[in-house]
Structures are given as C-alpha cells and as structure tokens.
Amino acid sequence: MQHTTAPIACIFDLDGVLVDTAVYHYQAWKQLANSLGFDFTEAQNEQLKGVNRMRSLDMILQWGGIEKSASEKDRLAAAKNEQYVAMIQKMTVAEVLPGALELLTALKAQGIKIALGSASKNSSLILERTELAHFFDAIVDGNSVSSSKPDPEVFLKAAELLGAEKENCVVFEDALAGVQAAIAADMMIVGIGKAENLPGAQVVINDLSEITISEIEALRTR
C-alpha cells in the first residue's frame, strides 16, 4: 500500500466507545414507550445503537404498533431528548469507559490526529461533562451531517476535517451501523463489543484498554 508512511488518524464513535450513555437513552425511550402504553426492552435498545433519533422513534412506534403524524413524532422525539439531556447534564468523568482516557492521552502525546464521528446531537455537552473535549482535533456529530450511519458521511467528513486520507483512518465503533459506515468509507475498523455483532471489523475488543497504538498502526498490514 502506498500510504503506509502517512500517519494514521483515529475517528471515535461516542456512545458505547468513549462513554456509556446507552443506559440514559434506554431510560428515556422506555419512559416514552411506557407513556404510550407499551414496554421497551433492553434487547430492543441494542437495535437502536448507532441509529439517529427519528429513525429510533419510528422503530419504537412500530414495535408498539402505534402510528403518529409527523408533527406528533417531532413532539415525541423532542420530549425524549429533553429527558435524555436532563440525565446527561449530571454525567461526570466517572462515566468515561475503561481505557478511553489512556488511549486518547497516548494518541495525543504522539501527535496522532483524533476526530469524533457520532450520530449524537448532544456530543458537545457529553464531551464537556466528561472532560474529553480537548482531545479532539475535529468533531462531526448529528448536528453536522445529513445522513446517518450506515451512510459513511460522518466518517468521510471527519477524515476531511483532519486532512487525512481515508485509507489511513481507523474507526472505533460499537454498533453494526457504524461498522457498515466505516466499511463504506474504506477505513480500518476496531470493533468494541462482541465479534458476532460487528462483522467486518478487523479486530474486536471489549474496551479501549485492550489495544495499543502499535496494534492500531498494525491494522494497515492486515
């Protein structure tokens, strides 16, 4: 490969990779489902990983066998987000996932470019509450893209902002939609979670404490 001499760049998803906000999404969606008269399970919540807010709402309404007009959907999505934002306002550095702080610190120390590539529209608040914002050279989130994962837009935009070639970018993802987006973007992929849930990732780890910079750089030769 002709680009092996160029430095790698790292693009991180947020929820489930750097911080654990899935529990808050789950609680907020569950409250919404319950208010509409049906339940929402943790297994269903797993299916919403990496999916944007309106698409998530559509899926939940479908599971509940409920139809709503576009304006009602907007109102429900806004209500869910209000609940969720109220919860994440109370987040602290304690909610940064294992290994995340150490890996970001090591990447920064070596001058490796770091971007966020997340569907979240609340990423700036979460990064501020968890004191991670200063690590990022670029932030691409749900406020700056028009297509959600598995569309590769979020990762391609991140690479562009970092001034990195896509083949030199490594994406860190915990969701199938995110892995598919990274494959579509022609990037290297580190999956966080269970291998059977993340087909296409070159390497799968439980959390960021299980990978080193040299192992990340070695992905180019795989």
Side-chain angles (χ1 to χ4, degrees):
M1 288 169 69
Q2 73 250 38
H3 289 282
T4 45
T5 52
I8 58 161
C10 292
I11 306 173
F12 291 86
D13 176 44
L14 180 61
D15 300 348
V17 174
L18 298 174
V19 297
D20 188 11
T21 51
V23 60
Y24 302 122
H25 282 297
Y26 174 58
Q27 288 167 2
W29 283 127
K30 190 177 173 71
Q31 283 176 1
L32 181 80
N34 293 167
S35 75
L36 294 170
F38 62 96
D39 205 15
F40 172 63
T41 66
E42 287 190 44
Q44 287 170 327
N45 192 54
E46 280 294 304
Q47 292 181 53
L48 302 184
K49 274 190 176 176
V51 177
N52 71 18
R53 194 184 307 156
M54 294 313 290
R55 176 82 189 103
S56 294
L57 176 62
D58 284 339
M59 289 166 73
I60 289 168
L61 291 174
Q62 204 174 355
W63 289 326
I66 287 177
E67 286 194 25
K68 293 282 181 189
S69 68
S71 61
E72 285 174 316
K73 282 184 190 177
D74 287 341
R75 188 182 56 77
L76 290 171
K80 180 266 172 181
N81 191 52
E82 258 175 56
Q83 281 288 95
Y84 173 69
V85 170
M87 293 175 194
I88 60 172
Q89 290 281 7
K90 302 183 180 82
M91 283 183 82
T92 68
V93 280
E95 285 158 285
V96 175
L97 287 167
L101 194 59
E102 294 79 1
L103 182 59
L104 290 170
T105 303
L107 291 168
K108 201 79 180 158
Q110 289 205 18
I112 293 168
K113 288 275 202 302
I114 305 170
L116 188 78
S118 168
S120 172
K121 288 192 170 177
N122 298 298
S123 68
S124 56
L125 172 62
I126 295 167
L127 292 176
E128 184 192 323
R129 297 296 307 152
T130 55
E131 297 177 17
L132 294 177
H134 65 283
F135 287 109
F136 293 92
D137 300 294
I139 289 177
V140 183
D141 64 13
N143 299 303
S144 45
V145 293
S146 52
S147 304
S148 64
K149 303 167 188 177
D151 188 282
E153 182 188 7
V154 64
F155 295 139
L156 294 172
K157 202 162 192 174
E160 189 186 331
L161 289 173
L162 292 179
E165 298 286 340
K166 58 187 182 179
E167 56 266 48
N168 291 319
C169 292
V170 182
V171 169
F172 296 79
E173 259 293 349
D174 72 320
L176 178 58
V179 170
Q180 290 168 337
I183 290 169
D186 266 342
M187 295 178 179
M188 297 171 278
I189 308 151
V190 174
I192 317 288
K194 294 189 167 64
E196 63 266 26
N197 298 334
L198 302 167
Q202 280 142 297
V203 61
V204 179
I205 54 179
N206 290 309
D207 60 52
L208 295 174
S209 68
E210 296 183 359
I211 198 159
T212 62
I213 294 179
S214 56
E215 286 168 333
I216 294 166
E217 288 178 326
L219 291 173
R220 289 200 252 214
T221 58
R222 288 173 77 121

